[in-house]
Amino acid sequence: MVAPDYAPPAQPTPPAQRPLRAWQRRAITKYLAARPKDFLAVATPGAGKTVFGLRLALELLADRTVEAITIVAPTEHLKHQWAASATNFGIPIDSNFTNTQGQTSRDYRGVAVTYAQVAAHPTLHRVRTENRKTLVILDEIHHGGDAKSWGDAIREAFTPAVRRLALTGTPFRSDDSPIPFVNYEPDGSGHMRSVADHTYGYSDALRDGVVRPVIFMAYSGEASWRTSAGDEFTARLGEPMTQEQTARAWRTALDPSGEWMPAVLNAADVRLRQLRAGGVPDAGGLVIASDQTTAREYAKILHRTTGDEPTVVLSDDPKASANIKKFAESDDRWLVAVRMVSEGVDVPRLAVGVYATSASTPLYFAQAIGRFVRARRQGETASVFLPSVPVLLELASQMEAQRDHVLGKPHREKDGWDDELVAAANRTEDEPGEEEKAFTSLGASAELDQVIYEGSSFGTAAGVGSEEEQDYLGLPGLLDPEQVRTLLQQRQEKQLASRSRKHAEQAAQPVAPVETRPQTVQERLHGLRRELNTLVAMFHHRTGKPHGVIHGDLRRQCGGPPTAMASVEQLEERIATLRSW
């Protein structure tokens, strides 16, 4: 893939002859100067790790440092993807190699296998590694610690390798399993921290124009559900709640039979059409679903909304890789996939995403968002729609944060650092579990809560279909990072000015006596919660304080339970208090 700085030539240039990106040149220069046995390169998704690895492989083959290459990838799809890329570099790789086969044709320069394949027969792969001077490329190396047997197997199989190149965009894990062939050093606080030989983060890539800026569209709304005991609850996505309440409100919003998902999918399609009409005619969209059942239902909603049949990719579908490839080469609009797609899709034209899964780990989130950031030319942006829940809002705000794997870190939060969903993502076991059966979704409304860009929040609550929402969905298709920031600030100022004007006009108008029916308690609570959340959003923009912190400060000063359970009197007191700040 050509970096945005280079104009595409009249005739396609072979990948091996294309100019390297600056970070790739620096990393290769650093490697060739030291020629270490092990080298860990950490580069943000979309930065070009594959090109870096294959260009380095060419160098080592050319000077006879190595004679063969073994590429290890986390999924079947990725090993075939690596082999296809290697072919473009003139390096024939056998990605159909099996353990029972044991050997491959001498016409190949190496094989591509999965971590699970190595773990199933490490001795076989050790013998292959010993027989020829081998370069082992370990793609997404953090998977090497997914199970003790995997880590042991990789060490057993590839310790005899002449050279080992480890690649990852997410060099961190939730547990204390050391990642094979990665160097750890004391961090000064009593822990051991992973150390990369070369690092190229998202902020670096964004500055260089290598990746797209990501605009997060966070949607909130009222969610209602009934527990197995018959109790009914209503809460607003994004409000301070218990972990259980947040999870149930979140899953209620993602229920395809409710109103939230159709509204968000329609908004995402509006954004996609805007991009396609505004300079990115082949822009594609991806919906990441939690399981196979909801993936199919989301596809039906998209079909009704757009009139087009989306491509559906399921983890147990033998045609999954072929369907992804077909979508990548087409100009079709939508792809719907179960979350296993996070490390299995390389579709550079993906520009709009809908994060419709309950997965909430930094590792999974980073991998998922990585599907949308690959830049092809100057000005392309990515838009990701997601539920307005605290853990996702925090991850969206920390897109540019660099993380390492820390061993022995105390009090590691399970909810925030959990790789189990990633492991489950590559299995076919995608059916709902007991937690989903513990309550029944009753429905959820949707509204645009805020827009997150470069860690900052823009906008206040805007109803679905409103002029304010359309202002954000209608951002031009081609923008550089500075233009994105400027336009979002302008949209926010316009929105706040409009609201202030309306409040002033309403205050100036005499109140005419009208006969209306009294509001129900439910209507009164709904109105007060909405007003409070709008004020919290405005206070956030004025002070920079996170929404949850503002809600917490109000509770400490006024007392009472979380907003979802507060009474009319308590909500009125919080509104009055916030207006006085």
Side-chain angles (χ1 to χ4, degrees):
M1 182 177 63
V2 181
D5 295 328
Y6 300 100
Q11 296 296 325
T13 302
Q17 299 176 19
R18 293 177 187 172
L20 289 171
R21 289 172 172 162
W23 83 264
Q24 294 166 334
R25 290 197 303 272
R26 289 194 298 270
I28 288 179
T29 300
K30 184 183 295 184
Y31 181 92
L32 294 177
R35 292 187 171 270
K37 184 169 187 175
D38 288 296
F39 191 88
L40 171 62
V42 175
T44 188
K49 291 187 293 294
T50 301
V51 170
F52 163 68
L54 292 173
R55 286 293 291 267
L56 186 56
L58 278 178
E59 294 281 349
L60 296 178
L61 286 169
D63 65 13
R64 301 181 184 276
T65 299
V66 301
E67 302 169 335
I69 299 170
T70 296
I71 299 168
V72 190
T75 66
E76 289 286 323
H77 178 80
L78 272 179
K79 75 175 187 179
H80 295 304
Q81 194 167 283
W82 265 95
S85 297
T87 297
N88 293 331
F89 280 78
I91 307 175
I93 295 293
D94 184 5
S95 59
N96 294 312
F97 174 85
T98 64
N99 289 349
T100 53
Q101 177 183 336
Q103 56 186 357
T104 188
S105 167
R106 66 172 62 185
D107 295 320
Y108 289 110
R109 297 304 299 265
V111 299
V113 296
T114 64
Y115 286 98
Q117 193 173 341
V118 175
H121 201 332
T123 304
L124 166 69
H125 294 277
R126 182 184 182 95
V127 170
R128 295 192 71 261
T129 304
E130 289 174 333
N131 284 343
R132 301 179 73 185
K133 294 190 296 182
T134 302
L135 163 67
V136 179
I137 299 177
L138 298 150
D139 187 28
E140 303 297 352
I141 182 61
H142 55 272
H143 281 287
D146 277 355
K148 187 176 186 298
S149 59
W150 283 28
D152 291 344
I154 293 165
R155 291 185 183 89
E156 167 67 18
F158 302 126
T159 292
V162 173
R163 294 286 187 273
R164 287 182 294 262
L165 173 63
L167 305 172
T168 183
T170 48
F172 48 88
R173 296 185 53 78
S174 66
D175 55 29
D176 285 335
S177 297
I179 303 172
F181 307 123
V182 169
N183 183 36
Y184 290 83
E185 294 180 357
D187 64 0
S189 60
H191 308 127
M192 300 295 288
R193 183 179 296 272
S194 62
V195 179
D197 296 286
H198 191 84
T199 299
Y200 187 65
Y202 175 77
S203 58
D204 300 322
L206 187 62
R207 182 191 61 242
D208 295 343
V210 170
V211 295
R212 298 169 175 151
V214 181
I215 305 167
F216 291 97
M217 306 283 190
Y219 275 72
S220 184
E222 297 281 342
S224 301
W225 66 91
R226 183 187 299 115
T227 68
S228 55
D231 298 324
E232 293 189 8
F233 291 85
T234 297
R236 178 183 168 84
L237 285 174
E239 287 184 348
M241 291 182 276
T242 65
Q243 186 175 8
E244 180 183 82
Q245 290 170 332
T246 297
R248 292 181 177 182
W250 187 348
R251 290 191 176 113
T252 296
L254 298 181
D255 187 344
S257 64
E259 298 177 9
W260 196 91
M261 275 304 300
V264 172
L265 288 173
N266 181 68
D269 189 62
V270 170
R271 180 65 185 146
L272 181 61
R273 283 189 271 117
Q274 170 64 29
L275 291 177
R276 290 170 76 100
V280 194
D282 66 340
L286 168 64
V287 181
I288 302 178
S290 291
D291 57 69
Q292 297 184 8
T293 301
T294 54
R296 295 187 183 97
E297 292 302 315
Y298 294 159
K300 292 177 183 177
I301 295 171
L302 278 172
H303 189 198
R304 292 195 300 268
T305 301
T306 67
D308 297 329
E309 192 82 44
T311 299
V312 180
V313 176
L314 304 177
S315 53
D316 60 354
D317 184 355
K319 298 180 180 178
S321 291
N323 289 339
I324 292 172
K325 185 174 185 294
K326 182 179 178 182
F327 179 83
E329 295 171 351
S330 73
D331 65 352
D332 293 346
R333 287 161 68 184
W334 282 103
L335 172 69
V336 183
V338 178
R339 56 194 182 202
M340 52 76 67
V341 87
S342 68
E343 284 183 324
V345 171
D346 182 16
V347 184
R349 67 185 187 88
L350 285 177
V352 175
V354 179
Y355 194 87
T357 171
S358 55
S360 62
T361 67
L363 175 58
Y364 182 79
F365 187 84
Q367 291 170 349
I369 303 307
R371 302 312 100 201
F372 307 99
V373 302
R374 187 182 298 275
R376 299 178 300 174
R377 60 171 172 151
Q378 201 72 29
E380 289 188 346
T381 62
S383 301
V384 176
F385 293 69
L386 45 74
S388 187
V389 293
V391 63
L392 295 186
L393 297 181
E394 182 179 0
L395 291 172
S397 298
Q398 296 177 348
M399 265 289 288
E400 300 182 25
Q402 284 293 128
R403 295 187 176 94
D404 299 310
H405 186 210
V406 181
L407 300 181
K409 184 176 181 180
H411 312 302
R412 184 182 280 120
E413 296 180 7
K414 178 73 170 177
D415 184 52
W417 293 86
D418 179 8
D419 287 335
E420 291 175 2
L421 288 173
V422 181
N426 291 320
R427 298 198 298 263
T428 59
E429 183 184 14
D430 289 314
E431 295 307 315
E434 290 301 317
E435 170 58 23
E436 285 85 344
K437 299 173 185 177
F439 72 99
T440 302
S441 300
L442 299 179
S445 62
E447 66 180 23
L448 179 60
D449 181 38
Q450 58 183 300
V451 178
I452 297 175
Y453 178 68
E454 290 186 333
S456 298
S457 175
F458 299 86
T460 63
V464 169
S466 67
E467 181 181 342
E468 293 172 332
E469 183 201 33
Q470 298 307 307
D471 276 346
Y472 288 106
L473 297 179
L475 289 170
L478 293 173
L479 295 169
D480 63 39
E482 183 61 35
Q483 290 173 323
V484 173
R485 190 182 311 109
T486 299
L487 281 176
L488 286 175
Q489 289 171 343
Q490 291 175 351
R491 295 291 196 275
Q492 177 176 276
E493 290 168 2
K494 174 185 174 184
Q495 186 181 26
L496 293 175
S498 174
R499 296 200 172 190
S500 297
R501 187 172 59 253
K502 288 178 181 178
H503 285 311
E505 290 172 354
Q506 291 171 356
Q509 291 177 353
V511 180
V514 292
E515 291 188 12
T516 58
R517 67 172 179 82
Q519 279 190 315
T520 65
V521 171
Q522 183 178 11
E523 290 170 339
R524 183 69 176 138
L525 287 170
H526 176 82
L528 289 170
R529 287 180 192 136
R530 186 184 181 93
E531 181 180 359
L532 176 60
N533 281 294
T534 298
L535 291 172
V536 166
M538 295 175 72
F539 192 77
H540 159 76
H541 296 305
R542 196 164 71 245
T543 65
K545 280 189 175 183
H547 291 223
V549 172
I550 301 169
H551 279 288
D553 290 344
L554 285 170
R555 283 185 64 193
R556 278 188 290 275
Q557 181 163 336
C558 303
T563 306
M565 295 175 282
S567 66
V568 168
E569 183 180 356
Q570 289 167 331
L571 290 171
E572 289 176 335
E573 182 183 2
R574 292 179 194 182
I575 289 171
T577 300
L578 186 52
R579 287 188 184 279
S580 70
W581 286 357

